[in-house]
Amino acid sequence: MLRKDVNDLLTQTDSGTPMGDMFRQYWIPALLASELPEDDCAPVRVKLLGERLIAFRDSKGRYGLMDEFCAHRGVSLWFGRNEEGGLRCPYHGWKYDYTGQCIEVPSEPDESGFCEKVKLQAYPLIKIGDILWTHMGDKEDRPPKPTWEFATVPAEQTYTSKRWQECNWLQAMEGGIDSSHVSFLHSGGLKSDPLFKGAKGNQYNHADKKPVFEVTEAEGGLYIGARRNAEEGHFYWRITPWVMPSFTMVPPRGDHPMHGHFWIPIDDENCWAWSFDYHPTRALTEAEVQYMRDGHGVHNEYVPGTFRPLQNKDNDYMMDRDAQKRGDTYSGIKGIAMQDASLQESMGPIVDRTKENLVSTDNGIIMARHRLRKAVTALRDKGVTPPGRDPAHQMVRSVAVVLPADQPYAETCKEDLAARPGQKHTSV
Amino acid sequence: MLRKDVNDLLTQTDSGTPMGDMFRQYWIPALLASELPEDDCAPVRVKLLGERLIAFRDSKGRYGLMDEFCAHRGVSLWFGRNEEGGLRCPYHGWKYDYTGQCIEVPSEPDESGFCEKVKLQAYPLIKIGDILWTHMGDKEDRPPKPTWEFATVPAEQTYTSKRWQECNWLQAMEGGIDSSHVSFLHSGGLKSDPLFKGAKGNQYNHADKKPVFEVTEAEGGLYIGARRNAEEGHFYWRITPWVMPSFTMVPPRGDHPMHGHFWIPIDDENCWAWSFDYHPTRALTEAEVQYMRDGHGVHNEYVPGTFRPLQNKDNDYMMDRDAQKRGDTYSGIKGIAMQDASLQESMGPIVDRTKENLVSTDNGIIMARHRLRKAVTALRDKGVTPPGRDPAHQMVRSVAVVLPADQPYAETCKEDLAARPGQKHTSV
Amino acid sequence: MLRKDVNDLLTQTDSGTPMGDMFRQYWIPALLASELPEDDCAPVRVKLLGERLIAFRDSKGRYGLMDEFCAHRGVSLWFGRNEEGGLRCPYHGWKYDYTGQCIEVPSEPDESGFCEKVKLQAYPLIKIGDILWTHMGDKEDRPPKPTWEFATVPAEQTYTSKRWQECNWLQAMEGGIDSSHVSFLHSGGLKSDPLFKGAKGNQYNHADKKPVFEVTEAEGGLYIGARRNAEEGHFYWRITPWVMPSFTMVPPRGDHPMHGHFWIPIDDENCWAWSFDYHPTRALTEAEVQYMRDGHGVHNEYVPGTFRPLQNKDNDYMMDRDAQKRGDTYSGIKGIAMQDASLQESMGPIVDRTKENLVSTDNGIIMARHRLRKAVTALRDKGVTPPGRDPAHQMVRSVAVVLPADQPYAETCKEDLAARPGQKHTSV
């Protein structure tokens, strides 16, 4: 349960809000690189943290991300011409380069120096992995570039998608660190999803529906360990790393690729659910990639031409009561991703956390909120840089492992929980 | 004309409002019984008096009506699994019985006693006739069960439908007690509707467009008598009972079934128009039932899979100007029900009653508002139980009768205005 | 740049606002005459200056424009029966004549004198040219009838259309007096549009993208002269008259018909863009009229059965990036009208003028705002009648002319800038 003012503090991210300031401390995913596929291609509207922006790729392949609206009279630059090193407003031909600097105002004399004084608010946009990342904060305090393993392995080992989720970022993220729902909501998917099924660990998930949670602090966030009974004298541990503010990884299953998410605010009532799958030591197979494209695993199908899921609240997520009855799917909703999204969206745009009744399996959520709150108030009140910017904080992995009952997971799996380029993940 | 504060008082029914408290004094229709057709069938979302609820029917046929959202973290129980005596949230498996009591929290030790402490706000749901009724008020002060004649005659004698109306309940209900519009708006329908036409009384409706209204107080509400000229020295009386807060009956026509309505707030800008047809002494014929299903009489056609009328504000109620010109329909809108609904919705979501110009034929409306206001303030200020809960108040009938000019309708028709099981209605 | 309070002052036109009072000083276009094509035809809903009105044409061909809602209980008279000299509410048969006077209340005794006391707010509606005009202000202070040349030439010489524009009237109107964007946004259209192409003047538009603006005060508003380089020692002048509050004319091209616009507030976030084409001395050719009907020139195509453009914000105005790339259209949007509308709507419903960066080519806009502000405050504070009501103010024309460099346009073209019935326009 959260007081209303705390709920507001953690869920509001527009410019000028404390949590908005905190998100602006990080490199965050802004677009799929494939959305800007070539030089001088069509610009793309992007809304992030409540700001309406335009992204483009200029004639030399440089990426720009800036105010959507022309500084002259406010026309949307989405209608702009992307040509010869800049994006030109089609109303009166004002032109901007990838830094937001106005480089031409045709009606003004060149010698007037007018256009030098015009600059749109702009943010850097850099490609790492399949993603274009931005940092929307103070450029004097730019963090080191992102080092997430999924984004830095060779291209053939990784796959990324994004989908529009119609609720606040925090309730989406909380779903990501809550592995206790897997035994219920995803019980059907564990058996049938080609990117999940067949792992030995799944049997423990099915058998023990009362996981015990042990949450450990990490420098960049938390490790959330879910302990289920395994063979005599052993526990099956599923360990989810959470890195501030909104990176999570699902514990792996057998030799399947590992997956995880970023939860990035579009505005207070919408977010981007970024989903990736990668294997640390081998290329994804053709079959695996096809499964991901087809919406299996943590990915999903789309309304054509959009990033909105094909299953969405307007069609009740294509609820199939017969499948629910038969148990093919636990909730009647098809697909791991939409099973989560449907429920998270059903809570409303911003869930009222004053009405919750949390239990011990929600410890991960409770502690994540606590750390977020501590970090956001420290930043607001004392200017303290929050955790999660440091490359070392980002070098994490999820783990699925069977350990003797007397071994503490955090110490035992210390190495397994770190990203180790070229070394396989620890997964049962 | 009403002052703005009085209009607000009578139209607002969310939890905590005076009129909301008053509606919570009664058993009101919540769902058609056919919406929960079998044990363990799909749960149904229900919004009543501004509250979002979920209705279900458990493995033993018991009906439940409770908060739509799981007490844990707020997921909609519409996604729930209805199984083995309860509705289970698909997120973490919390399970509720038909009283809203949580009966299982899988992650918690059975001995913890945790789930006993979790109970959703729930209301009783009982089947009487074709309707599932609820009482959303204090369970210590539950009224006697509903005794409305239409709901208590044998099943083959009665038929009920409901439709979503996109305006406040009060302006819908006011249409129900306003029989002066019949000579105009429904003049086409009187001639052509298979459930209306052919009654001798219709000719008086057509001939005398200046009815005189005499309104009499009843214990549960009002009798609204509309007097039109009949043969020499006689009046044709159409008498509409109104029982608090929102039950009305249309005066009958010949041997046609009798019909009436409940007007139940969904929220302040939407209501359910419940419509029933029954015959006190005989089964409805196959033809009659088919007419009702086809949307004749007080019923209507639907957007498939919904309770929204096929004719609605998005398609201008399928206005047919040629039919209007020819006089086939007076307003150009097809069907008695949609003739009323189209005009009531055209007033806006909550009509501004400060701008009205009421006339003598609006006496029924004026007196109903007066009684509502008196009852709602007596309840609010002194805790006085309002009229309409008493079974005797509910045993009413509408009447259509020709009387000698010197006979007062209320005294003369005292018996006719009472529901008398097994006896035919008084209808010309 | 405007302060927020000034932006509000100029953009808000509901009843009781200063700019609303100012618009109510004029005869403004309300409907196309073709919307009320015959006596006793269907009434039409009209929203103007935030007021919801109903327009109709009675049995004798008289036009009425009055409150949309019946004085009795607020039903929309759009459902009304238009018959025998009045519009009758279909609920209880109240009937109104074209002046808004209630002429029948069937339920009341004729001798009661009741209906004489009931009168809806009504405005005159007069046909001049293809337009039904209204004056929504004080009837004691009714201005002379409109004398605009486009509306008073013989019918075969003129063509008028209207379209719904989803933004405030002011940013639409500002587009109308901003001829500097033509060299950019409409550069494709100058070459290909059958109602624009082929004029000698177009070459100057293409060649000189740095027009110099000279704005001259006129009694009714402004003349906005845009000077571009022509042959040695000569300038090409395009002169746009603006008459208060919202009439503009595009400078002509060769012997093409002349065109112009009214920008009329529907409410603060929507306006009507009225577009006309006329030739002062000859009938429009069949081909020209067909081009206009097909949406060429300043006209557009529609969503069938509506005045909403077929290209609209819901379909991104059917953006064609390939056409933009090739330069067939400068912005990728087809058609002069939608090129303007798309950008003006992209600014948002009411553009935030505190964020503008105006330049010298915006002088017309700056001065028009200045005059509007002066007029609206003079009216508000001192009751001064604003310019633009006087027939002489309305007798203007746009001009396109090549002048020797030393000749001032305003003096030289004084006669050309005046409407001169039977004389050709001055156009290069």
Side-chain angles (χ1 to χ4, degrees), chain B residues 130-148:
Chain B
D130 296 331
I131 292 180
L132 301 178
W133 306 75
T134 190
H135 171 243
M136 293 169 65
D138 183 1
K139 74 175 170 188
E140 307 304 318
D141 183 33
R142 198 137 283 167
K145 288 186 183 173
T147 57
W148 310 99

Side-chain angles (χ1 to χ4, degrees), chain A residues 56 58-59 81-88 95-97 103:
Chain A
F56 71 108
D58 78 3
S59 311
R81 299 178 62 83
N82 190 3
E83 56 181 22
E84 294 164 42
L87 187 60
R88 189 186 288 279
K95 189 170 177 179
Y96 302 90
D97 75 10
I103 54 175

Side-chain angles (χ1 to χ4, degrees), chain A residues 406-427:
Chain A
D406 58 356
Q407 292 193 6
Y409 81 86
E411 290 77 355
T412 312
C413 299
K414 192 161 200 264
E415 280 194 20
D416 309 84
L417 287 166
R420 288 153 296 141
Q423 293 193 49
K424 210 179 155 315
H425 53 303
T426 306
S427 176

Side-chain angles (χ1 to χ4, degrees), chain B residues 178 210 321 325 330 362, chain C residues 40 45 72 78 81 92 106:
Chain B
D178 163 29
K210 298 192 183 189
R321 291 281 178 196
K325 204 69 143 184
Y330 193 75
D362 295 312
Chain C
D40 285 340
R45 286 177 286 227
H72 179 205
W78 180 81
R81 297 178 62 82
H92 303 85

Side-chain angles (χ1 to χ4, degrees), chain A residues 284-336:
Chain A
L284 303 180
T285 68
E286 263 183 56
E288 283 170 342
V289 171
Q290 195 57 50
Y291 286 136
M292 294 168 195
R293 286 199 185 120
D294 290 347
H296 292 285
V298 293
H299 309 281
N300 64 284
E301 295 177 274
Y302 298 98
V303 175
T306 78
F307 290 105
R308 191 180 197 207
L310 189 62
Q311 304 161 253
N312 55 56
K313 65 178 176 179
D314 293 337
N315 57 25
D316 276 334
Y317 309 90
M318 302 183 179
M319 163 66 79
D320 180 343
R321 292 281 179 196
D322 290 332
Q324 186 193 55
K325 204 70 142 184
R326 288 191 308 266
D328 299 352
T329 55
Y330 193 76
S331 71
I333 307 301
K334 194 180 110 187
I336 306 285

Side-chain angles (χ1 to χ4, degrees), chain A residues 12-21 24 49-51 266-268:
Chain A
Q12 297 173 357
T13 61
D14 277 3
S15 179
T17 60
M19 185 55 84
D21 288 344
R24 285 167 177 80
L49 311 180
E51 297 184 37
I266 295 172
D267 53 33
D268 292 348

